[in-house]
Amino acid sequence: MSDDDQPHDSDAHAHDHGVEGPGYATPQAAIEESERETTAYVMGLYVGTDVDAPDFLAVVDLDPDSDTYAEVVDRLEMPNRGDELHHFGWNACSSSCHMDGLERRHLVIPGQCSSRIHVVDTEDRRDPEFETVIEPDEVFEHDLSAPHTVHCIPDGEILISMLGDADGDLPGGFLELNDDFEVEGRWEPPGEIEMNYDFWYQPRQNVMLSTEWAAPKTYYPGFDLEDVEDGKYGQRLHFWDWEDGEVEQTIDLGEEGLIPLEARFLHTPESTHGYVGAALSSNVIHFHEADGQYHADPVIEFDDREHEDWDMPVPALPTDILISMDDRYLFGSNWLHGQVWMYDVSDPSNPRKADSVSIGGYFGDIREVQGRDIVAGPQMLQLSLDGERLYWTTSLFSSWDNQFFPEEKERGSVMLKADVNPRRGTMTLDEDFLVDFGDMPAGPARAHEIRWPDGDCTSDVWQ
């Protein structure tokens, strides 16, 4: 790593924006100035279950001094059924800290299967309300569908990765909303990419990275190995010119990078280092810029394992990764192997395993927490800003859940927590913490992505 890429202290990349906007001036300020998370927003789903009810936004109480600690204290039901709520994001984050008057207040919640986009006002954190809903036809007009990652971008606008065209085929692209939550149109010139999934931008480096899943019509019904053999799943990384919205470089990862999903740059805005989890290859790819080009190589590899119920070795399937706010640790979830893991990435090119926790999946210790068997592997992760509490849920995608962990349809998902000791590099499962989405009023529900009202390790970006 060059000196230019080395993480710096907070003073080095603080900038004088002269106004008070959303978020924090630096990642270090997020660590030092934030308070412990007391509320979580979690996607709750009924798609693919036998429960005839709309998906919902769950408000989870995380205040350990509260009588309702670890309970869902409010549910905002979507106005329609069948959305398949998946990933969501804020209207503003630390990248807009120079915008006087802008607030991190509205959640933008897309439906993966409906292409409907919900905007929710969280002024009252424990009682969120709808602000507006963008109907699918407004999205289809731009020949896009299947919204996935939501990132606020500087100046209050919102960018959403779209995985398909209006018919659910390729290519995907990006949809841009303005600060009044109106569809502005496509962000990029059509045809820049075929497949799309996650993305992350690093404005100080004028770069954005996007990854690949597949066409919605390919992954909606479930996973089929023949689709991989037919080249219907992605294996490439796209590095964009952030200001021009055009792809500058594409890296084909080959078989080492099959289904590259979550993309994370280090939080330090000067850095060009980051990671991508290649789910089917069970690798974590490290990328960085050198000599004007981006380079990408596997730096963490999880071996496939034999299982008596499978006629092929079972991949680990690292479906989510995140980086602690101090850029020291990389966390990830191996959904099929049932592990949450933690690597020290102080040297980004040479991660060192720190610790792991097994909770379920197809291998290891199938844990019982608060008398509840865990019937699926760990999936979406979220870390406290101080790096001391790691939370996760267990649902991936309804049709894939039903294929690999069918019992979750009957039992519902859970939200679990591990206590992290950043100084020692250890994790301990908190056996007193369980949010049981199997105990919802309408019936067992799935649980997916998690967000904090004051920003988190998978949504905040710095200019």
Side-chain angles (χ1 to χ4, degrees), residues 247-396:
V247 174
E248 280 202 325
Q249 183 186 355
T250 293
I251 297 178
D252 191 328
L253 300 168
E255 293 188 355
E256 292 184 325
L258 287 170
I259 312 185
L261 295 181
E262 308 303 333
R264 316 291 185 208
F265 271 95
L266 294 188
H267 299 287
T268 304
E270 293 88 355
S271 180
T272 64
H273 290 260
Y275 302 91
V276 171
L280 190 59
S281 297
S282 297
N283 290 332
V284 176
I285 308 293
H286 167 241
F287 62 84
H288 72 290
E289 185 271 336
D291 302 324
Q293 292 287 307
Y294 273 87
H295 305 267
D297 298 289
V299 289
I300 302 172
E301 301 178 15
F302 299 99
D303 293 335
D304 297 348
R305 299 177 65 176
E306 300 290 339
H307 192 284
E308 59 185 5
D309 295 335
W310 283 55
D311 56 8
M312 59 175 280
V314 182
L317 217 71
T319 47
D320 195 18
I321 59 172
L322 68 75
I323 299 171
S324 60
M325 196 56 76
D326 62 1
D327 287 337
R328 180 176 177 188
Y329 290 108
L330 176 71
F331 295 85
S333 58
N334 290 351
W335 192 53
L336 294 182
H337 285 191
Q339 270 188 333
V340 175
W341 46 262
M342 171 182 185
Y343 275 70
D344 186 328
V345 292
S346 301
D347 177 356
S349 302
N350 297 287
R352 179 183 61 81
K353 184 175 180 180
D355 203 357
S356 64
V357 172
S358 291
I359 62 129
Y362 281 86
F363 302 95
D365 298 328
I366 308 300
R367 304 294 287 262
E368 179 184 294
V369 179
Q370 295 289 294
R372 169 76 145 86
D373 289 334
I374 308 305
V375 298
Q379 219 283 103
M380 295 308 296
L381 307 170
Q382 193 52 263
L383 183 69
S384 60
L385 292 175
D386 63 8
E388 296 185 0
R389 292 165 300 282
L390 180 71
Y391 302 81
W392 64 86
T393 57
T394 53
S395 170
L396 175 60

Side-chain angles (χ1 to χ4, degrees), residues 7 27 44 70 82 98 102 178 188 195 210 232 281 301 363 376 428 434:
H98 60 292
L102 190 62
N178 64 24
E188 90 295 3
M195 297 181 193
S210 67
K232 294 183 179 179
S281 297
E301 301 178 15
F363 302 95
T428 306
L434 172 81

Side-chain angles (χ1 to χ4, degrees), residues 138-194:
E138 296 181 65
V139 175
F140 299 152
E141 284 180 11
H142 302 279
D143 200 21
L144 293 168
S145 69
H148 190 270
T149 300
V150 177
H151 270 301
C152 53
I153 58 178
D155 304 335
E157 298 196 320
I158 297 151
L159 194 61
I160 306 174
S161 62
M162 310 292 293
L163 275 55
D165 66 13
D167 296 321
D169 294 312
L170 298 176
F174 292 88
L175 189 73
E176 186 172 0
L177 310 183
N178 64 24
D179 56 0
D180 289 324
F181 309 113
E182 299 166 333
V183 175
E184 284 277 285
R186 292 188 76 121
W187 174 77
E188 90 295 3
E192 287 291 294
I193 54 172
E194 282 288 303

